[in-house]
Amino acid sequence: MKRTYKKSMLPVEKIRKYLEPGPIVLVSSFHKGRNNIMTMGWHTVMEFSPSLIGCMITAANHSFEMIRQSGECVINIPTADMVETVIGIGNTTGAKTDKFKKFGLTAEAAKTVKAPLIKECYANIECRVADRRMLDKYNFFILEVTAAQTATYPKYPKTLHYRGEGIFMVSGKHLSFPELFKPQNL
Amino acid sequence: MKRTYKKSMLPVEKIRKYLEPGPIVLVSSFHKGRNNIMTMGWHTVMEFSPSLIGCMITAANHSFEMIRQSGECVINIPTADMVETVIGIGNTTGAKTDKFKKFGLTAEAAKTVKAPLIKECYANIECRVADRRMLDKYNFFILEVTAAQTATYPKYPKTLHYRGEGIFMVSGKHLSFPELFKPQNL
């Protein structure tokens, strides 16, 4: 039985809080009646408002065409207890496999896109493809966040951060220094 | 007295190991006889070979024009003991201040660019601007790594990962599961 979370909506300009530290994420998509999930590590926040995310998805991935053609996806943030699921999803092709079924995950309806949320993840960030100009040369999607929700507890998730070679860093303790910042830079 | 490291060269296609987990970085630059440093959190690996990094630098930053005009920079990875320096650099403009001097950092000559390395950082990734097509709309640089070096010890740095609002996550323990990966996916 996998862990699930009670969640609340997060303003889209606040997704930085969970995405900027660099977690590995699970990207879910929907196209022509089928769901899929992929594991992704190459992403960055690009703007607060509109809330933009840039990410590289190898064109050989089954998810690449599903996201390109549907123009939508959900970025789901898994926690460290899901490490074997994260690896399994990253080492299975969605061309022939229903990954929700294979990995015992629950597809939930999203608020703003047809791609499903992964219920077992700490946060779910719904996105539409906002700019395709970097796709041909770099397989780089620019996504606009259309809705987001995160768990209400714990305050910070134990996230996975990939180093290559099968090794993940797990997020550690937190340091808080708001008093050292100019207010506009927080 | 700040910590310094003994370093060795890192093949440019291997920078993922340190950059993909999402650390906050210090970007050093050189233009018209002056050095500068900025703090940056919005970056992603984009390709192994050529070794590409994408990053967003606000155009209002003094470093933006220095990097745009010189076509070069160095991405330096600081460790958690440098947190007050990282915040200080991010809350000071380089227009009037020599940040190396102000923050007691050592500028070292790079191998392939005129921008200086920050000696006190765990890793130094030398870059040239490879693609400017995303600059006007998104302030997004695509950089090609031209050389990289990292500390030989410790194996993994204690890095800082920014969450906004003055709060940093510090990298924690490591999990290793190479046996669960297909060899080509490691």
Side-chain angles (χ1 to χ4, degrees), chain B residues 14-41:
Chain B
K14 303 268 191 189
I15 57 109
R16 162 198 216 174
K17 182 172 181 181
Y18 301 103
L19 214 59
E20 185 172 334
I24 199 103
V25 298
L26 298 175
V27 182
S28 47
S29 53
F30 176 84
H31 185 56
K32 291 188 176 173
R34 292 191 58 203
N35 291 332
N36 197 20
I37 317 176
M38 64 167 286
T39 299
M40 179 173 79

Side-chain angles (χ1 to χ4, degrees), chain B residues 17-83:
Chain B
K17 182 172 181 181
Y18 301 103
L19 214 59
E20 185 172 334
I24 199 103
V25 298
L26 298 175
V27 182
S28 47
S29 53
F30 176 84
H31 185 56
K32 291 188 176 173
R34 292 191 58 203
N35 291 332
N36 197 20
I37 317 176
M38 64 167 286
T39 299
M40 179 173 79
W42 291 6
H43 57 77
T44 180
V45 181
M46 288 181 67
E47 184 56 275
F48 290 114
S49 184
S51 178
L52 299 181
I53 297 168
C55 61
M56 189 283 213
I57 297 176
T58 305
N61 279 354
H62 191 62
S63 292
F64 180 90
E65 277 301 320
M66 291 182 66
I67 296 168
R68 193 178 71 79
Q69 291 185 33
S70 68
E72 296 179 349
C73 65
V74 179
I75 294 177
N76 306 272
I77 301 183
T79 41
D81 53 296
M82 292 173 69
V83 63

Side-chain angles (χ1 to χ4, degrees), chain A residues 66-85:
Chain A
M66 292 181 66
I67 297 168
R68 193 178 70 80
Q69 291 185 31
S70 68
E72 297 178 349
C73 64
V74 179
I75 294 176
N76 306 273
I77 301 184
T79 40
D81 53 297
M82 293 174 69
V83 63
E84 293 187 46
T85 298

Side-chain angles (χ1 to χ4, degrees), chain A residues 139-175:
Chain A
N139 297 332
F140 192 78
F141 287 89
I142 298 178
L143 306 172
E144 180 173 351
V145 179
T146 53
Q149 58 177 338
T150 64
T152 54
Y153 180 86
K155 188 172 180 183
Y156 301 121
K158 280 275 177 195
T159 44
L160 295 162
H161 300 252
Y162 195 52
R163 288 200 184 277
E165 301 183 354
I167 298 167
F168 296 85
M169 178 271 280
V170 180
S171 60
K173 67 178 179 180
H174 285 78
L175 305 175

Side-chain angles (χ1 to χ4, degrees), chain A residues 4-186:
Chain A
T4 58
Y5 297 95
K6 184 184 173 197
K7 292 175 185 172
S8 64
M9 298 307 290
L10 180 76
V12 296
E13 70 276 13
K14 303 267 191 189
I15 56 110
R16 163 198 217 175
K17 183 172 181 181
Y18 302 103
L19 214 59
E20 185 172 334
I24 200 102
V25 298
L26 297 175
V27 182
S28 46
S29 53
F30 176 84
H31 186 57
K32 292 189 177 174
R34 293 191 58 202
N35 291 331
N36 198 19
I37 317 175
M38 65 168 283
T39 298
M40 180 173 78
W42 291 5
H43 57 78
T44 181
V45 181
M46 289 181 66
E47 185 55 276
F48 291 114
S49 185
S51 178
L52 299 181
I53 297 168
C55 62
M56 188 285 212
I57 297 176
T58 305
N61 278 354
H62 190 62
S63 293
F64 179 90
E65 277 301 319
M66 292 181 66
I67 297 168
R68 193 178 70 80
Q69 291 185 31
S70 68
E72 297 178 349
C73 64
V74 179
I75 294 176
N76 306 273
I77 301 184
T79 40
D81 53 297
M82 293 174 69
V83 63
E84 293 187 46
T85 298
V86 167
I87 298 170
I89 288 169
N91 286 274
T92 312
T93 176
K96 295 179 183 171
T97 306
D98 177 340
K99 296 201 199 180
F100 278 94
K101 187 172 175 186
K102 180 176 173 72
F103 295 101
L105 298 170
T106 311
E108 273 197 325
K111 303 278 189 301
T112 61
V113 296
K114 289 180 183 162
L117 310 180
I118 301 174
K119 180 172 177 162
E120 288 79 6
C121 285
Y122 180 93
N124 312 105
I125 302 170
E126 302 177 19
C127 303
R128 67 172 187 85
V129 177
D131 192 325
R132 298 167 185 263
R133 79 180 75 177
M134 303 293 281
L135 272 187
D136 283 350
K137 184 162 184 186
Y138 297 107
N139 297 332
F140 192 78
F141 287 89
I142 298 178
L143 306 172
E144 180 173 351
V145 179
T146 53
Q149 58 177 338
T150 64
T152 54
Y153 180 86
K155 188 172 180 183
Y156 301 121
K158 280 275 177 195
T159 44
L160 295 162
H161 300 252
Y162 195 52
R163 288 200 184 277
E165 301 183 354
I167 298 167
F168 296 85
M169 178 271 280
V170 180
S171 60
K173 67 178 179 180
H174 285 78
L175 305 175
S176 180
F177 292 100
E179 71 280 6
L180 299 183
F181 285 70
K182 290 180 183 168
Q184 70 271 27
N185 291 345
L186 278 171

Side-chain angles (χ1 to χ4, degrees), chain B residues 1-17:
Chain B
M1 180 79 178
K2 288 193 170 67
R3 175 172 189 169
T4 58
Y5 297 95
K6 184 185 174 197
K7 292 175 185 171
S8 63
M9 299 306 290
L10 180 77
V12 296
E13 70 275 15
K14 303 268 191 189
I15 57 109
R16 162 198 216 174
K17 182 172 181 181

